[in-house]
Amino acid sequence: MATEFALTELTARYAQAVDRREAATLATLFDPDATFVLPPALTGTGAATELHGSDALASAVVDAVTHLHSTRHVVHQQVLDVDGSTASGETYCTAHHVYSGRNGFRDNRIALRYHDRYVLGDSGWRFARRELVVDFSEDVPVTVPD
């Protein structure tokens, strides 16, 4: 169970680092040769986009959210399959992207899943690959406290 807890903690730290816009922290959560796959639903290119290398992908992820007022990534259930020093899993998440619209603030909420592969290294568990899958999204008005 210690391994499962460590992997759950890793996914929670990822969400926290994105919401806090901490690219340096985010990079430490990935293996140096990691891959991050963004779906066509988010890239707008009609094809999946792969980012490679922990520093490059961390910067790209943070850059993608810096224009927003705020984000909140809520991690839900996680199903894991551990095999020694490697693991795979599927993590569910609701990603809130709050932005200023014409008539106030709005939340572009995305129900998504991450298909993950993990690797155990000298500094603990890290993401070797994250593939983001969009299930659906909605855009709703929200109130942001002053």
Side-chain angles (χ1 to χ4, degrees), residues 101-122:
R102 288 187 185 148
N103 297 317
F105 287 99
R106 300 192 61 83
D107 181 5
N108 180 247
R109 293 189 288 230
I110 304 173
L112 56 90
R113 292 173 285 127
Y114 293 100
H115 293 173
D116 293 323
R117 279 191 262 151
Y118 312 93
V119 62
L120 180 60
D122 293 339

Side-chain angles (χ1 to χ4, degrees), residues 8-140:
T8 299
E9 180 79 6
L10 180 64
T11 60
R13 291 199 180 281
Y14 170 88
Q16 183 182 54
V18 173
D19 291 344
R20 292 181 177 178
R21 316 298 198 261
E22 295 175 349
T25 300
L26 197 58
T28 67
L29 304 177
F30 286 87
D31 185 68
D33 298 322
T35 299
F36 191 88
V37 183
L38 296 168
L42 293 182
T43 64
T45 63
T49 299
E50 288 191 8
L51 306 170
H52 300 280
S54 58
D55 291 332
L57 70 86
S59 292
V61 168
V62 170
D63 288 349
V65 298
T66 55
H67 71 285
L68 298 167
H69 175 272
S70 60
T71 59
R72 182 174 176 152
H73 292 78
V74 182
V75 178
H76 304 290
Q77 72 266 23
Q78 186 176 41
V79 179
L80 299 166
D81 182 25
V82 180
D83 185 17
S85 62
T86 63
S88 61
E90 183 174 47
T91 303
Y92 285 68
C93 176
T94 302
H96 296 267
H97 302 96
V98 177
Y99 66 96
S100 181
R102 288 187 185 148
N103 297 317
F105 287 99
R106 300 192 61 83
D107 181 5
N108 180 247
R109 293 189 288 230
I110 304 173
L112 56 90
R113 292 173 285 127
Y114 293 100
H115 293 173
D116 293 323
R117 279 191 262 151
Y118 312 93
V119 62
L120 180 60
D122 293 339
S123 57
W125 287 98
R126 298 290 175 254
F127 294 106
R129 177 182 173 90
R130 281 209 110 176
E131 183 173 351
L132 197 152
V133 177
V134 174
D135 290 327
F136 61 89
S137 65
E138 61 184 337
D139 197 90
V140 296

